[in-house]
Amino acid sequence: MSEDLKERIHEANVEVHRLEAGYYELLHPEVYGKREQKRIDRVLIMVDRLLTGNWKKALDFGAGTGNLTGKLLRMGYNVTATDISEEMCAILKKKFNVYLKTGKLIVINSPIEDVSFDRGEFDLITCYSVLHHLPDYAGALQKLSVFLKKGGVMYLDHEPSPFYWKSESQSLSHLVKSMYLHSNPLINTFYFRIIGATIPSIDYALSDYWHKKDHPLKHEKIECIFKKERFDFFKRIDYHLIGSWVLNPLFYLYKRICKPEMSFWVAKK
C-alpha cells in the first residue's frame, strides 16, 4: 500500500468520525444494542480471568466514544484510550470526566501508528471495530504487541469473519444471508423515521478500507502476528451479530442455517 493511500485512509477516518461523532451510538445498533453489549461484557469477564499478574492497566485503541473504555473503567482498570478523531475523544472525555480527574483515564487524540509506550506497559490491550479502519492493521498489531506485558492479553473484536464475504454453499443459506444482511439497513432506516432522527449521509468507501469484498481483512495475517511475537495462546471466535435496533425476525433463521459473519480474537502473551 502506498504512503499516499495510507494518508487518504487516515484522512477519511478523521472526516467520517467527525461527521459520525454526535450520532455514533444511534447509528450503530450492531454495537450498542443490548444483546451485543451483554456479549461484550461476558467476553471482557473471560478476558480479565485469563490475565496473569494483572495490575489492571489497559490500552483501548480506537476507543471512539468509549464503548470498551467505559466497561474497563467500571471493572477497575486504569485506561489509556486513543483515537484518531478529535470529536470522538471530546465525547469520551465528557462521558468519563470523573475518571479523567482521578487519573484513572488518559485520552490521547492520535493515530495508533504514532503513539509510543514502554515495553510491557499494559496488562490488557483492546480494540472494537477498529482493525478494518487501519491502513496497516498487521503492522499496528505487531507494534502494539511490544507494549503488552508477558502474561497480558490482547482482545480484538467486531471484525468481519472469514465467512462474511463468502457465498453460502446451499441456495437456501445464500438466500437467507442475503435477505438478512440487506434487510437490516432498511429496518434501521424505518426505525430512525419513527423516532424522528435525521442521520447525515456518510461515505465509508475509504474509511472502512478492509471491510470490502475485493480487499477483506485477512485473519491469517492476525494469526501470523501472534505466532511471530510468540504469544502463548490465541484463538478466533466467530459469532452472529444482531444488526438492527428493532429485532429482525430473520435473525434466528439466519443464525440457524448461516455461518457467522463476525469475529473476535483473544491472545495471551
Side-chain angles (χ1 to χ4, degrees), residues 121-132:
E121 183 170 343
F122 298 100
D123 300 284
L124 176 62
I125 295 179
T126 67
C127 74
Y128 183 100
S129 192
V130 177
L131 298 185
H132 60 274

Side-chain angles (χ1 to χ4, degrees), residues 23-63:
Y23 304 88
Y24 186 75
E25 295 181 21
L26 177 63
L27 274 171
H28 294 285
E30 75 281 6
V31 176
Y32 286 96
K34 289 182 180 180
R35 297 185 184 210
E36 176 64 0
Q37 288 292 301
K38 288 181 179 178
R39 184 193 67 82
I40 298 169
D41 289 338
R42 290 193 300 270
V43 175
L44 281 174
I45 291 170
M46 178 267 289
V47 167
D48 183 68
R49 290 172 178 168
L50 283 174
L51 288 159
T52 302
N54 189 3
W55 291 93
K56 294 282 186 176
K57 190 170 184 181
L59 170 64
D60 184 22
F61 71 94

Side-chain angles (χ1 to χ4, degrees), residues 103-165:
K104 295 280 288 183
L105 173 64
I106 297 170
V107 179
I108 301 173
N109 176 208
S110 170
I112 191 60
E113 296 90 344
D114 295 344
V115 299
S116 183
F117 303 102
D118 292 336
R119 177 179 291 271
E121 183 170 343
F122 298 100
D123 300 284
L124 176 62
I125 295 179
T126 67
C127 74
Y128 183 100
S129 192
V130 177
L131 298 185
H132 60 274
H133 293 296
L134 303 179
D136 179 11
Y137 56 89
L141 289 178
Q142 187 164 349
K143 175 183 177 179
L144 288 166
S145 68
V146 175
F147 309 140
L148 187 68
K149 75 171 193 180
K150 182 65 176 175
V153 171
M154 190 175 286
Y155 163 47
L156 319 169
D157 204 339
H158 198 84
E159 299 297 340
S161 80
F163 309 113
Y164 190 95
W165 301 111

Side-chain angles (χ1 to χ4, degrees), residues 48 54-58 69-79 99 104 123:
D48 183 68
N54 189 3
W55 291 93
K56 294 282 186 176
K57 190 170 184 181
T69 296
K71 295 178 184 296
L72 292 169
L73 288 168
R74 289 187 285 271
M75 291 172 70
Y77 280 86
N78 290 285
V79 182
Y99 293 98
K104 295 280 288 183
D123 300 284

